[in-house]
Structure formats: structure tokens, C-alpha cells
Amino acid sequence: MRLKENKLVVFVGIVTVMGIYAFLDAGGPSAGREVTAAELTHDLPKMVEFYTPACPSCRAMDPTLSRIEKKCADDRVGFDKIDLSKRENEHLMDALDVLAVPTFVFLDENGKETSRLIGKQTEETLQKHLASLGGRCS
């Protein structure tokens, strides 16, 4: 139980420290549709981004994610976003072992995790992981 409390304290601390950046805009909306955990479906292979609006690295990824989503639009690969600062999504930190934001989880069409990336990523790295789901995304 102590480990769970420590994860929450670390996460809340990070969000609090970065909270001063919450009012800054990184230059447009990011890719993917925002969903809650209850809305997350497994009908397509997909990349799920776990983020918080106060996270500077998350906001910096927005242009890259938008480009990738446009490139992969015809590849039957889904893109979802889950805001971990929302109360209804907080339980996912433990359930899916999300320790930092941004975290990108790649799921096959059955909802099984195939890979995971943590932190700011390059477009090439994200495309490589998406390609492993069966899409071209190039």
C-alpha cells in the first residue's frame, strides 16, 4: 500500500510543480480524441497517450502527434488521449502502471499492450512503434 501512496505523491508533486505552466499554450490542440478510461475501446490497434494539460513535454509533443495522426489516418490505427489530471482517470496510474507523463501505450486490436514509451519522443520512434501494430504510418 505504501508504494501506491508514494506513486500518487510523486505524481501530484510533479503536476503541482508544473502547474505554473498550465496557462501557457504550446501552439494548438494535439492529435487523438480525448477519452476517459470507460470510453477506451479496443476495436483497432491504437496508441494511447497519457498526459496532463500542465505537462510541458506533453504540450511539446502536440505538433508531432498531429502530424503522425494525419499520416496514419488511412491505416486503421486509432489515437486516444487520456488526461490523468481528471478524477475519473486517476485510477489508471496504478492500474496501468503509468509513472510519468507523457506515456504512450501501444495496444493491439484486442487491447493487449505491445509496447510503451515514456517521455518526449521523436516522430520516427513513434512511427516505428505504430508500424509494429500493422499500420504503414509513413
Side-chain angles (χ1 to χ4, degrees), residues 3 8 10-11 17 48-49 55 60 63-64 73-74 83 87 89 94-95 109 131 135 137:
L3 182 60
L8 183 58
V10 169
F11 179 75
V17 168
V48 181
E49 175 193 12
C55 168
T64 300
D74 297 331
D83 182 350
R87 181 174 293 274
N89 297 330
D94 286 326
E109 62 277 351
C137 293

Side-chain angles (χ1 to χ4, degrees), residues 5-65:
E5 292 170 1
N6 287 341
K7 284 183 184 179
L8 183 58
V9 168
V10 169
F11 179 75
V12 170
I14 290 170
V15 171
T16 301
V17 168
M18 294 186 306
I20 60 173
Y21 299 105
F23 63 92
L24 298 176
D25 184 12
S30 85
R33 66 184 184 98
E34 187 170 321
V35 297
T36 64
E39 297 170 321
L40 187 62
T41 61
H42 304 296
D43 51 342
L44 292 173
K46 65 177 57 187
M47 177 179 76
V48 181
E49 175 193 12
F50 294 92
Y51 77 104
T52 66
C55 168
S57 294
C58 299
R59 291 194 316 268
M61 290 294 305
D62 287 348
T64 300
L65 296 172

Side-chain angles (χ1 to χ4, degrees), residues 30-33 64-74 79:
S30 85
R33 66 184 184 98
T64 300
L65 296 172
S66 292
R67 282 192 304 275
I68 290 173
E69 186 174 15
K70 286 177 186 171
K71 287 180 181 180
C72 298
D74 297 331
F79 296 88

Side-chain angles (χ1 to χ4, degrees), residues 107-120:
L107 305 171
D108 66 16
E109 62 277 351
N110 298 314
K112 182 180 178 223
E113 183 175 330
T114 61
S115 61
R116 175 182 297 230
L117 298 169
I118 299 171
K120 193 173 176 183

